[in-house]
Amino acid sequence: MLELKEIQDKVIYDQAAIEKAVKELGRKISRDYEGSALLLVGILRGAYVFLSDLSRVIRIPHTIDFMAVASYGDASTSSGVVRIETDLRQNVEGKDVLIVEDVIDTGLTFKQLKKTLEARHPRSVKICALLDKPSHRKVDLKPDYTGLVAPDTFLVGYGLDYLEHFRGVPYIFSVKPGALEPLQAAGKLL
Ligand code: PRP
């Protein structure tokens, strides 16, 4: 049984910091997409917490849907080839699609997803990420909406997992140096 106290090091973003960032994103998105057919697409699994909060601070009509994707290879050898495990229920034709991610690292997932979705003729495809880790980027990509620019350290909580655990922790924390080894062994470190 994994205990939070065994792996948590520092709190990087507390609940107040996250709430502030999410509210600000909600304000910008509500302003920019006014009058459009906004569809928020959460990328499972990490985005579920963020999408839930973001949807509740967007003050314009919108719909939501989800996709689950898997990239071939582990994090460090990510090929950029994304396999769709669960596809959208909605037809995106003519819609303004906003992909909602917990974090952008290499940018490969979004690059591939954008290509896939654009082939379905939406009006637009943009991305909103709560966290951006530009130091990990492998492709030229600047998210259209970013909540927080994150340090180059493994982060957990608010949807982000430690070997599938602790996604429900309401703040975001770094892990103790001793807890990095299992991540390395599982190929989760970039
Ligand atoms: C994370 C995140 C993005 C992707 C971003 O998902 O939720 O989908 O990685 O990485 P990239 O910019 O390097 O492509 P992850 O594979 O950890 O799965 P999860 O959401 O189920 O935790």
Side-chain angles (χ1 to χ4, degrees), residues 44-46 101-109 161 167:
L44 297 170
R45 289 166 294 268
E101 278 282 25
D102 50 345
V103 61
I104 297 188
D105 281 309
T106 63
L108 291 166
T109 304
D161 71 308
R167 291 190 195 269

Side-chain angles (χ1 to χ4, degrees), residues 43-47 69-71 75 78 80 82 100-111 113 136-139 141 159-161 164 167 188 190:
I43 308 303
L44 297 170
R45 289 166 294 268
V69 299
S71 52
S78 182
V82 167
V100 177
E101 278 282 25
D102 50 345
V103 61
I104 297 188
D105 281 309
T106 63
L108 291 166
T109 304
F110 176 64
K111 192 180 169 211
L113 263 177
H136 288 179
R137 205 74 92 246
K138 288 188 178 168
V139 295
L141 163 69
L160 297 147
D161 71 308
E164 296 302 331
R167 291 190 195 269
K188 299 290 180 190
L190 282 174

Side-chain angles (χ1 to χ4, degrees), residues 47-98:
Y48 78 101
V49 181
F50 176 40
L51 177 66
S52 163
D53 283 346
L54 184 66
S55 172
R56 285 179 286 177
V57 293
I58 291 179
R59 297 287 174 220
I60 56 169
H62 61 278
T63 55
I64 65 160
D65 207 337
F66 293 93
M67 287 178 96
V69 299
S71 52
Y72 292 104
D74 60 30
S76 55
T77 60
S78 182
S79 58
V81 179
V82 167
R83 177 167 46 89
I84 296 176
E85 289 185 332
T86 305
D87 209 337
L88 296 171
R89 180 182 280 181
Q90 295 193 34
N91 182 347
V92 302
E93 200 168 335
K95 296 197 179 136
D96 287 299
V97 176
L98 185 59

